[in-house]
Amino acid sequence: MQGFARVARYLTASVLAIWLVSLSAPCAAQELETPAAPPGVDGGSSLFVPGGFLGVIAPVGRRIALSGYGFYYGDVDVPVAQVDLSVRATKFLTVTPSYLYYEIPPSGLNKSVGLPARFSDTFEENQFRIDGTVKFSIGKFEIADRNMYVRRFRPTDEVNRYRHRIGIAHPFTVNRHVWKAFANHEAFYEWGNGGWNRNRLSAGATLPLQKHVSFQPAYIWDRNRGAKDIHYLQFGLIVSTR
């Protein structure tokens, strides 16, 4: 409860600050990860994890949108819940405070580090995040540069994290429908936890199914020091109320 109260205080203060500063549709972003492996364990190798998500984007004004996402990753049995509030502060800048919760059962933790019966308790984490994304176009290419601060509330400690993601997207027309292909690279830095300790590469496309519904298949490769490399094949359904 104390951790939840801290998250609530951070979230409330940031939302107020963003309203004072005064919409781009946010792209769903999964967050599956594991805590550090037990001493003497080297994760090594890799793990394939299929995943899916449902996202709902609800514009609440010309420059503001509230979004909710629910993820589930099979094989490791991990649910993830994420809520974003995106505010388009200027033509090129969008600021987004968000909250994320996930949990990993012992079986998923053991698969992630590659050795059985090392973990016996479910790992739970709450995260408060706030990011600023600068987006601009060069011809038909869309470039997005995101800088994110994360406060991780874990069972045993609290950790500060910085995430930097650079992405590129390009629309193309298939049977009179506009598809948008994208690729991203993201690096993670944690104070007091080894500095730069994680990298993520992702690529996929957003495909319109109906006026308010899009389908988003993606491949994600995640290297997290102290655990196995994780390869995701992720399928998402995104619904917009606009």
Side-chain angles (χ1 to χ4, degrees), residues 53-236:
F53 72 88
L54 173 65
V56 178
I57 302 172
V60 293
R62 188 172 62 90
R63 304 169 71 89
I64 303 169
L66 180 65
S67 306
Y69 298 95
F71 297 83
Y72 187 79
Y73 294 96
D75 198 41
V76 288
D77 302 321
V78 175
V80 183
Q82 177 179 325
V83 179
D84 300 347
L85 179 66
S86 298
V87 179
R88 187 169 184 177
T90 69
K91 179 179 179 180
F92 299 105
L93 174 64
T94 299
V95 181
T96 305
S98 61
Y99 166 78
L100 181 145
Y101 169 82
Y102 73 96
E103 61 181 46
I104 309 177
S107 59
L109 294 170
N110 292 323
K111 287 180 181 178
S112 297
V113 299
L115 292 173
R118 287 284 180 158
F119 294 93
S120 58
D121 296 321
T122 296
F123 178 84
E124 298 180 75
E125 182 169 330
N126 294 274
Q127 294 186 4
F128 160 76
R129 300 107 60 82
I130 185 166
D131 69 70
T133 301
V134 175
K135 183 180 293 185
F136 58 93
S137 297
I138 301 177
K140 290 188 176 181
F141 288 93
E142 298 177 2
I143 312 298
D145 186 291
R146 187 186 75 176
N147 292 274
M148 175 186 286
Y149 164 75
V150 182
R151 182 70 170 180
R152 304 178 63 191
F153 297 88
R154 306 188 300 183
T156 56
D157 59 8
E158 298 177 8
V159 180
N160 291 311
R161 166 183 280 174
Y162 167 71
R163 296 170 56 168
H164 177 251
R165 186 180 73 189
I166 185 74
I168 185 169
H170 190 284
F172 56 97
T173 303
V174 177
N175 294 329
R176 294 180 294 179
H177 294 286
V178 178
W179 295 13
K180 183 174 288 186
F182 62 85
N184 302 292
H185 173 264
E186 187 165 16
F188 298 67
Y189 183 94
E190 289 192 338
W191 288 265
N193 193 21
W196 297 103
N197 58 11
R198 188 176 176 191
N199 285 278
R200 174 183 293 162
L201 295 171
S202 59
T206 303
L207 319 175
L209 299 180
Q210 296 180 2
K211 182 179 179 180
H212 300 288
V213 181
S214 297
F215 176 62
Q216 189 181 88
Y219 171 77
I220 303 164
W221 171 79
D222 205 327
R223 167 161 287 181
N224 190 358
R225 189 172 59 202
K228 286 187 173 186
D229 291 355
I230 300 180
H231 302 262
Y232 308 91
L233 186 59
Q234 179 173 277
F235 298 99

Side-chain angles (χ1 to χ4, degrees), residues 1-11 99 126 153 158:
M1 290 300 294
Q2 290 180 347
F4 178 80
R6 293 191 192 100
V7 172
R9 286 198 296 271
Y10 277 109
L11 185 59
Y99 166 78
N126 294 274
F153 297 88
E158 298 177 8

